[in-house]
Amino acid sequence: HFVGLKNYTRVFTDKFFWRALWNTIRIWGVNIVLQLGLAFLLTVVFSDIKYKFKGLPVFRALYYLPNLIAATSVAFLFKTLLDWRYGTFNQISGTAGSVIAVISAWMWFGNSFIMLMAGVQGINKDYFEAAAIDGAGRWTTFGKITLPLLKPIMLYVAITSLIGGLQMFDLPFLMSEKTA
């Protein structure tokens, strides 16, 4: 029995679909701001030419570590921490969407950080040296050299984050009380 486009018609007229899509976009919006913002801030700090950070590979590994943990383990950990009766962070359990966004940002910001660090390290140092010779300050160099050359990588991180956000199912499902 061929139904044609009836399934699409049904989905686009379903109020639960639109509510779920809006919740997903809200969670992704908070997630991408935190994830990309924190990764970008740490990239700027760790890639500053004047300050040579020792142990940078250790920081990279520590920041990337949450990305390696299975979403099931993370969901179980935070569900326990946010439990309304026994959880350590039970006072913030009323904002489930924001909590899921923060957890997701924590899990994935290491990936964004690695991408942005690779992008900064891929920028030819001649640009920075020429800017220093011309007397450009740290913020001018950042705004005129670093940021424009990182835009393609930031766009890539944002798009892959959006794709991941639209596919997000495990954290909200496993953290909701309906699964207990």
Side-chain angles (χ1 to χ4, degrees):
H1 174 59
F2 181 70
V3 293
L5 300 176
K6 286 183 183 177
N7 288 335
Y8 290 103
T9 305
R10 191 181 78 194
V11 119
F12 288 121
T13 58
D14 186 7
K15 66 178 181 177
F16 296 113
F17 168 77
W18 292 109
R19 185 173 8 163
L21 183 63
W22 173 243
N23 288 341
T24 301
I25 291 171
R26 275 192 358 214
I27 290 171
W28 175 78
V30 173
N31 174 16
I32 192 64
V33 168
L34 290 174
Q35 175 185 335
L36 197 56
L38 185 58
F40 193 68
L41 176 71
L42 288 174
T43 299
V44 169
V45 169
F46 284 128
S47 66
D48 197 334
I49 295 173
K50 292 184 180 182
Y51 307 111
K52 294 290 182 187
F53 281 96
K54 293 183 179 178
L56 184 59
V58 173
F59 283 107
R60 286 183 190 154
L62 286 176
Y63 293 148
Y64 195 74
L65 187 62
N67 194 20
L68 300 176
I69 301 171
T72 309
S73 302
V74 172
F76 178 74
L77 169 71
F78 281 98
K79 184 176 180 179
T80 304
L81 289 173
L82 297 170
D83 184 63
W84 69 275
R85 289 173 295 198
Y86 309 111
T88 306
F89 304 128
N90 60 1
Q91 297 299 319
I92 60 172
S93 64
T95 57
S98 298
V99 170
I100 290 171
V102 169
I103 293 167
S104 184
W106 171 75
M107 282 178 64
W108 291 101
F109 110 91
N111 187 46
S112 301
F113 173 69
I114 296 292
M115 295 279 194
L116 291 176
M117 279 299 292
V120 166
Q121 290 175 346
I123 297 174
N124 192 339
K125 302 299 180 216
D126 293 342
Y127 293 129
F128 298 115
E129 290 173 8
I133 290 171
D134 289 343
R138 182 179 298 164
W139 289 107
T140 303
T141 303
F142 173 75
K144 301 287 184 181
I145 296 171
T146 308
L147 189 59
L149 293 174
L150 279 182
K151 281 184 183 177
I153 293 172
M154 291 173 56
L155 180 64
Y156 171 78
V157 169
I159 289 172
T160 55
S161 176
L162 175 62
I163 292 168
L166 291 174
Q167 294 176 342
M168 183 183 0
F169 173 77
D170 45 9
L171 280 178
F173 179 77
L174 294 170
M175 289 183 66
S176 71
E177 288 297 320
K178 294 175 181 84
T179 61

